Amino acid sequence: MNIRLALLNSAERGVTEGEVLRLALQHAVAELDGLGGTVHLRGPMSALRLVSVAGLPPGLVRPWEIIDQEDTAAPACAVRQGTGVWMLHDPPGHHPARVGQ
């Protein structure tokens, strides 16, 4: 993990925030042996906005482009709980079901 953080720290000046988020997400997914991941940022009026995706097809994440913070989707649950949330994926058109809850 320290090697991955050092690599991110070495990013050239002028690299956009979006590019740094994308690189950090890719490294986080790799470190966790994941298949993919997303980054959402909190926006105005209690909405989370999808800003970066790694390893996931567009059709899968499209329903999560904008998520209300009171939604049952993983990013909204994580914001409300103040911690990471792991979820299984249900068929398209459904929000994932929470694991272990």
Side-chain angles (χ1 to χ4, degrees):
M1 182 63 146
N2 289 334
I3 294 170
R4 293 182 190 282
L5 291 174
L7 180 62
L8 286 172
N9 257 349
S10 71
E12 298 175 17
R13 295 202 187 275
V15 174
T16 66
E17 290 175 353
E19 182 68 10
V20 172
L21 277 174
R22 186 185 65 76
L23 289 170
L25 177 58
Q26 288 174 340
H27 284 283
V29 169
E31 185 70 24
L32 296 169
D33 293 328
L35 297 175
T38 62
V39 173
H40 286 80
L41 294 180
R42 190 182 319 204
M45 299 187 286
S46 88
L48 302 173
R49 187 172 53 93
L50 181 65
V51 295
S52 190
V53 177
L56 300 172
L60 180 67
V61 297
R62 196 167 291 119
W64 285 12
E65 287 179 351
I66 298 178
I67 300 173
D68 187 275
Q69 290 182 34
E70 299 304 316
D71 199 305
T72 59
C77 291
V79 167
R80 286 194 309 278
Q81 295 174 17
T83 187
V85 176
W86 295 92
M87 299 181 132
L88 297 174
H89 175 66
D90 286 335
H94 298 276
H95 288 297
R98 279 185 269 185
V99 175
Q101 294 187 6

